[in-house]
Amino acid sequence: GRLQHTLTGHTNKVTSAIFMDEQTLATCSWDRSIKFFDIESGFCNDRTIQCRTKVNDICCPTPFVLCSAHFDKTVRVYDLQTRTLIRELKAHSQEITSICVSPGSEYLLTNSKDGTLNLIDFRKMSAPVKTFRHDNYKNLRDGNTACFSWDGRYVAAGGGDTIFLWNTNSGKTEASFMCSSKYVSCVS
């Protein structure tokens, strides 16, 4: 295919983009904002969310809320109708580099430069339900991501030259896979 649009509007590094629906793309940036673009026209609409700190990643657990992972170690939840902050949780001791939602939209998974992944009950937004760690897991990059398996039974993240796989029920490391790459930063 050919390039449809070049989306402009952020004033710093764009760190993530997700499709909200068939008409809207949401983006987040180190300019401390979350913007919404009309896919058909390519224009940014006026529904921008201004944030307190750099935004590293976003996810959408329901059609009504958007969750964001921040440089200040915090997960924030915004009401999409009013564009207001409705909840926040300091989830890590260092910067959160990614956030994603479980297949059933019950849990959020955060990945942090503190070398841990946290499983957070989305409905309660309180202390993590589980923390995943491994002695050799290190999250050293800003764009380092983590993800759920399609059935939610596992979470995965890359750190260094290894991909780690944890069981969501037991919290234990199920496997680690050495890669030929010097650094694995994205899994999906």
Side-chain angles (χ1 to χ4, degrees):
R2 70 186 223 312
L3 179 66
Q4 296 295 315
H5 300 288
T6 299
L7 306 177
T8 60
H10 286 289
T11 59
N12 204 328
K13 178 181 178 179
V14 175
T15 52
S16 184
I18 61 170
F19 287 98
M20 302 295 292
D21 54 41
E22 63 277 348
Q23 295 177 308
T24 310
L25 183 75
T27 61
C28 63
S29 168
W30 282 0
D31 67 6
R32 301 178 181 197
S33 72
I34 300 168
K35 295 186 179 287
F36 301 87
F37 292 87
D38 179 273
I39 295 169
E40 194 67 30
S41 69
F43 291 115
C44 181
N45 67 36
D46 59 357
R47 302 182 310 165
T48 296
I49 296 173
Q50 296 299 327
C51 303
R52 295 181 192 147
T53 64
K54 293 178 182 178
V55 190
N56 286 330
D57 200 9
I58 51 178
C59 70
C60 204
T62 79
F64 310 106
V65 299
L66 181 132
C67 297
S68 55
H70 292 263
F71 186 79
D72 69 351
K73 314 161 201 149
T74 304
V75 171
R76 293 188 171 87
V77 181
Y78 295 93
D79 180 299
L80 284 172
Q81 294 294 338
T82 63
R83 301 295 189 259
T84 56
L85 177 67
I86 53 176
R87 286 188 263 170
E88 63 183 346
L89 171 69
K90 185 174 179 185
H92 288 275
S93 64
Q94 292 185 36
E95 172 185 355
I96 302 172
T97 59
S98 76
I99 188 168
C100 67
V101 62
S102 67
S105 297
E106 296 174 47
Y107 298 100
L108 299 173
L109 178 67
T110 57
N111 188 7
S112 171
K113 286 189 175 180
D114 65 13
T116 65
L117 285 70
N118 280 336
L119 189 66
I120 299 166
D121 186 321
F122 170 67
R123 296 159 298 189
K124 296 179 183 174
M125 281 298 289
S126 56
V129 175
K130 252 190 203 80
T131 297
F132 305 100
R133 57 175 49 94
H134 188 280
D135 289 343
N136 295 327
Y137 177 69
K138 299 196 181 6
N139 175 348
L140 303 172
R141 300 216 174 154
D142 290 325
N144 201 324
T145 65
C147 67
F148 284 95
S149 63
W150 67 273
D151 58 3
R153 292 177 48 210
Y154 301 98
V155 296
D161 61 354
T162 306
I163 296 171
F164 294 88
L165 186 70
W166 290 272
N167 183 301
T168 53
N169 288 325
S170 69
K172 295 183 180 179
T173 307
E174 289 279 326
S176 58
F177 308 99
M178 293 285 292
C179 302
S180 59
S181 172
K182 288 184 182 178
Y183 196 88
V184 179
S185 60
C186 291
V187 293
S188 64

